[in-house]
Amino acid sequence: MRRSLSTPGFKPTLLALLVSAGCLPVMAATTNTTTPSSAASDAAAAAGNSEQTLTVTATLQSDFKPGGDQLVPAYLDGQVAHGGRLGMLGEQNAMDVPFNVIGFTSKLIQDQQAKTIADMVKNDAGVQTVQGYGNFTETYRLLDGDDMTFGGLPGVVPRQVMDAALVDRVEVFNGANGLLNGAASSGVGGMINLEPKHADDAPLTRVSVDYTSTQQIGTSTDISRRFGDNNQFDVRLNAVHREGETGVDG
């Protein structure tokens, strides 16, 4: 018995054959298209494996030894030190102690043309600088304290007006410090330590001229030398002189 193409039972079989035959070119094209991509991936992986390995090794930037009189290394082009003198603990890195301490160096004093300590401690938001009672002295308020030491020693310098040209660093300590500095301080709000200048290995002779207004001019000198077979002796001279009219007569 012969069936025509119009027979209902014949149409699905013929349609399936046509679909199968149409899929073969598509599968071949897909295979030909993906093969170069796989080869490119393999080449990229091989190239990645051939790259050199970069090894980063951290080294110490200085030979700083905490606990003594050696100053903490400075950063920001030598303007700020991340640490300072902590009383009986000596010079300490702020990252190694549970205290908030920061040091402003003589480099920052020169860059900001600071005249007094107040010009330096203004860089710390935790310090409030005000005038004295009935006078023009300076008072530094660290929470509730205004203690000041010189090289870690209290009672050596006045707490009123200190010329910034005489110190190497201004170190600000915020927080309770009675344990570190003893009964010479209030031990409550914080303290300011002034590190004295020392002569460096290279001789220094610096002369500066400044003016506050058209009525007041001044000059300062900074001279340092080292002596001895091993340069174990040093002398440093700092002198400041200003004359002229100011906001207060006389």
Side-chain angles (χ1 to χ4, degrees):
M1 180 178 179
R2 300 176 63 181
R3 292 185 179 182
S4 61
L5 295 176
S6 60
T7 304
F10 185 78
K11 289 182 177 180
T13 304
L14 180 60
L15 179 61
L17 293 175
L18 294 176
V19 171
S20 300
C23 290
L24 292 176
V26 176
M27 294 176 61
T30 305
T31 304
N32 294 333
T33 304
T34 56
T35 300
S37 299
S38 300
S41 300
D42 296 339
N49 294 333
S50 63
E51 293 181 355
Q52 296 181 354
T53 302
L54 178 62
T55 303
V56 179
T57 304
T59 58
L60 295 177
Q61 297 181 353
S62 65
D63 56 350
F64 171 71
K65 296 180 180 180
D69 293 329
Q70 182 182 359
L71 298 178
V72 178
Y75 61 99
L76 288 179
D77 196 23
Q79 294 181 338
V80 181
H82 54 293
R85 185 178 296 276
L86 298 180
M88 64 180 183
L89 300 181
E91 290 283 340
Q92 294 286 338
N93 193 317
M95 301 300 293
D96 300 331
V97 293
F99 302 105
N100 183 9
V101 56
I102 186 173
F104 304 112
T105 68
S106 58
K107 179 68 164 51
L108 183 61
I109 294 177
Q110 296 176 15
D111 293 345
Q112 293 188 349
Q113 301 181 12
K115 289 187 176 181
T116 63
I117 303 302
D119 296 331
M120 281 291 94
V121 297
K122 288 179 181 178
N123 293 296
D124 191 332
V127 183
Q128 181 185 15
T129 304
V130 297
Q131 298 292 336
Y133 299 97
N135 53 40
F136 283 85
T137 60
E138 296 175 346
T139 302
Y140 321 107
R141 310 301 297 179
L142 290 83
L143 299 180
D144 191 34
D146 59 351
D147 299 313
M148 181 176 291
T149 58
F150 188 73
L153 300 176
V156 178
V157 294
R159 296 184 299 176
Q160 286 74 30
V161 178
M162 273 291 298
D163 199 295
L166 305 179
V167 298
D168 189 30
R169 288 194 179 183
V170 180
E171 300 171 344
V172 180
F173 180 98
N174 287 281
N177 61 96
L179 172 65
L180 298 175
N181 297 284
S185 63
S186 63
V188 180
M191 58 159 292
I192 298 175
N193 177 60
L194 308 178
E195 283 295 318
K197 285 185 175 182
H198 299 280
D200 297 327
D201 292 335
L204 173 65
T205 302
R206 180 186 295 123
V207 179
S208 304
V209 178
D210 65 85
Y211 67 95
T212 303
S213 64
T214 57
Q215 301 295 326
Q216 187 187 56
I217 61 175
T219 182
S220 60
T221 59
D222 190 355
I223 303 173
S224 66
R225 295 290 188 274
R226 279 193 171 273
F227 306 94
D229 297 335
N230 299 318
N231 289 336
Q232 67 269 32
F233 305 108
D234 70 277
V235 175
R236 187 155 185 171
L237 171 65
N238 288 268
V240 178
H241 180 75
R242 296 186 179 98
E243 283 190 359
E245 297 295 334
T246 62
V248 179
D249 188 19

